[in-house]
Amino acid sequence: MRKSIVITGGSKGIGRAVADPLAQQGWCVIGVARSSPGHFPGVFIEADLADQNQTDALAKDLAARGDVFGIVNNVGLVRRETIDAVDFELFTTIMDLNVRPALQLTRALLPNTRSARFGRIINVTSLVTRGLPFVSALTIRQAAKEKHAI
């Protein structure tokens, strides 16, 4: 059985770094990002995952392949700002990109993984916000944590 795996945010950083080892382990690697890297060990699809319609079309295409049994949900964004200066429209955009594509793409692939009784779902996050001043993702997370603790 041919096994394919999707890596969102696959053109650079963590996404690009995991592509080679996955290919070496026998996975057919499918990278996804707004622009292709110079070199990629598999198929690369240019798509803007910030666009819900493009993500939906990609999800349908990947599910129709029938051989995608894994996904590395890696695409993400963070913005430097203090909590009192958070632009809510931008915050909504960031949260949407950081969460929605993972849900859309994973849901689309579940029927194939269930049928095959095999699958891998890897959700990547980053410590890029940890310990840095003026990063709203950290500030809001910390505020939520403190409120939760009360």
Side-chain angles (χ1 to χ4, degrees):
M1 159 177 47
R2 186 172 120 191
K3 303 181 303 184
S4 294
I5 190 164
V6 175
I7 304 171
T8 65
S11 64
K12 59 186 175 181
I14 294 170
R16 179 59 188 90
V18 300
D20 289 322
L22 286 169
Q24 290 167 1
Q25 292 175 19
W27 287 91
C28 174
V29 182
I30 304 167
V32 178
R34 287 180 299 198
S35 57
S36 299
H39 170 73
F40 193 81
V43 175
F44 203 90
I45 300 170
E46 290 187 2
D48 183 357
L49 298 179
D51 182 318
Q52 186 173 350
N53 293 326
Q54 282 190 44
T55 307
D56 189 50
L58 175 65
K60 289 175 182 170
D61 289 346
L62 292 171
R65 287 175 56 111
D67 69 338
V68 182
F69 302 114
I71 185 164
V72 178
N73 290 306
N74 173 65
V75 71
L77 177 66
V78 68
R79 186 61 64 139
R80 290 179 51 89
E81 56 192 354
T82 60
I83 195 163
D84 59 339
V86 170
D87 175 320
F88 284 103
E89 187 174 330
L90 180 59
F91 178 75
T92 301
T93 299
I94 291 169
M95 293 303 292
D96 180 72
L97 177 64
N98 290 352
V99 177
R100 181 195 37 76
L103 178 60
Q104 267 183 287
L105 296 172
T106 301
R107 282 183 61 177
L109 299 175
L110 282 177
N112 289 338
T113 60
R114 285 181 174 145
S115 294
R117 300 181 57 93
F118 175 84
R120 299 290 183 264
I121 301 168
I122 302 161
N123 295 312
V124 177
T125 187
S126 173
L127 295 178
V128 73
T129 61
R130 189 174 179 151
L132 297 177
F134 310 113
V135 178
S136 59
L138 171 69
T139 310
I140 291 169
R141 183 180 69 214
Q142 286 301 101
K145 186 177 180 181
E146 290 171 17
K147 185 177 179 183
H148 238 357
I150 294 175

